[in-house]
Amino acid sequence: MEILIEFWQFLKERKKWWLLPMIVVLLMVGLLLTMTSGTAIAPFIYTLF
């Protein structure tokens, strides 16, 4: 949890707001791949990448 607070402070201080959407998209893709890794949907997800 500390890394999230530190990252938020970095964004505020350095005015790097353009990093936030990229991080969110990367986390969502990672979550999607993790959640579907053991299901029948997995082969269809992996063909997208």
Side-chain angles (χ1 to χ4, degrees), residues 3-48:
I3 195 164
L4 293 176
I5 294 169
E6 212 170 300
F7 181 67
W8 181 254
Q9 289 172 350
F10 169 78
L11 289 177
K12 283 189 345 186
E13 288 177 19
R14 303 273 198 269
K15 306 286 192 238
K16 303 279 186 187
W17 297 113
W18 55 272
L19 283 174
L20 196 59
M22 284 195 282
I23 298 296
V24 169
V25 168
L26 284 174
L27 288 174
M28 286 175 29
V29 168
L31 184 64
L32 176 70
L33 291 175
T34 303
M35 297 300 271
T36 61
S37 65
T39 65
I41 300 172
F44 301 109
I45 299 288
Y46 291 130
T47 58
L48 294 175

